[in-house]
Amino acid sequence: MGLKQLENIREPKNSVSEFALGKTNYILIAVAFAVIVLGLALMAGSGSTPDHYNPDIFSWRRIVLAPTLAFAGFVFMVFAIMYKGKNAKNDKEGKA
């Protein structure tokens, strides 16, 4: 295709560009991402070395709380992507 032909091809003026997900989805995805980052941050800390034993690596925060938060964040991320609001069906019917 030449440049002249590409210039003649335009989108119809009535077409509205839409995102695949709605505003609510993006907000829920941001919340899920923050929960995942929080879980990973709670897992961080100094480790044990052969010379110095650190009992903090077996703390409740690093063994139970942090992995649970990170896992919950990943599950919530799937929900955030799949979520359709109450008005999603009405919006599609009204625009068609």
Side-chain angles (χ1 to χ4, degrees), residues 17-39:
S17 87
E18 294 182 21
F19 290 110
L21 301 174
K23 181 180 177 183
T24 306
N25 294 90
Y26 289 116
I27 292 171
L28 293 175
I29 288 170
V31 169
F33 182 74
V35 171
I36 293 168
V37 169
L38 177 65

